[in-house]
């Protein structure tokens, strides 16, 4: 396996993990009654820190920056903003939050198609 292919696999693994963590956060934020707030804040911060690390990995590897990962990053940022709105402002627009999560999933699936990975 070439070094570039290995980095693509690592990147897709990281992006998949962001999506998986986001699914869990969606469930925690929209569940009623809500779980402990401190636990939620910790999980929200953790997923953003992980996202930030993935962006550093992406931009640190020139061969990856030719791919179209930016729609996934944008979709995550939109989801993250809506997640904070839902959690901190107790905005119960769960449909909007779900739509943001779905957009992230769709952009990830598009990436796997672009990279020809299942």
């Amino acid at each position: 396996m070439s070094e570039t292919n290995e980095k693509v696999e690592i990147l897709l693994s990281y992006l998949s993990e962001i999506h998986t963590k986001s699914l869990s956060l969606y469930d925690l934020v929209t569940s009623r009654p809500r779980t402990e707030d401190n636990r939620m804040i910790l999980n929200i911060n953790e997923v953003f820190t992980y996202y930030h690390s993935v962006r550093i990995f992406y931009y640190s590897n020139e061969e990856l920056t030719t791919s179209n990962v930016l729609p996934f990053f944008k979709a995550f940022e939109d989801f993250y903003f809506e997640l904070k709105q839902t959690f901190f402002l107790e905005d119960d627009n769960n449909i909007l939050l779900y739509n943001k999560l779905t957009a992230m999933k769709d952009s990830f699936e598009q990436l796997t198609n672009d990279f020809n990975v299942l």
Side-chain angles (χ1 to χ4, degrees):
M1 174 183 301
S2 74
E3 186 176 338
T4 298
N5 287 345
E6 187 175 327
K7 287 182 180 180
V8 165
E9 284 188 17
I10 291 169
L11 176 65
L12 289 175
S13 174
Y14 289 159
L15 297 178
S16 177
E17 185 66 18
I18 288 172
H19 181 255
T20 301
K21 288 177 182 290
S22 297
L23 285 168
S24 297
L25 281 172
Y26 172 82
D27 287 341
L28 286 172
V29 166
T30 58
S31 66
R32 296 289 187 250
R34 256 195 204 152
T35 58
E36 182 183 327
D37 281 355
N38 289 337
R39 178 176 166 220
M40 285 297 305
I41 292 169
L42 181 63
N43 283 301
I44 290 170
N45 288 337
E46 176 187 358
V47 76
F48 187 79
T49 300
Y50 192 78
Y51 161 76
H52 182 67
S53 298
V54 172
R55 283 182 59 99
I56 290 171
F57 175 78
Y58 173 73
Y59 286 112
S60 298
N61 292 281
E62 248 178 66
E63 63 269 34
L64 296 176
T65 58
T66 60
S67 60
N68 200 10
V69 177
L70 297 181
F72 180 88
F73 288 158
K74 173 73 171 117
F76 172 78
E77 290 167 3
D78 291 346
F79 169 78
Y80 182 75
F81 175 77
E82 192 61 37
L83 179 76
K84 290 190 312 183
Q85 292 288 104
T86 302
F87 178 69
F88 291 115
L89 301 179
E90 296 185 7
D91 176 6
D92 284 334
N93 192 351
N94 295 338
I95 293 171
L96 184 57
L97 183 61
Y98 182 78
N99 289 341
K100 304 288 183 180
L101 185 62
T102 300
M104 187 186 345
K105 177 186 74 82
D106 293 343
S107 65
F108 179 75
E109 288 175 354
Q110 183 60 49
L111 277 172
T112 60
N113 287 338
D114 292 348
F115 286 121
N116 198 24
V117 176
L118 295 175

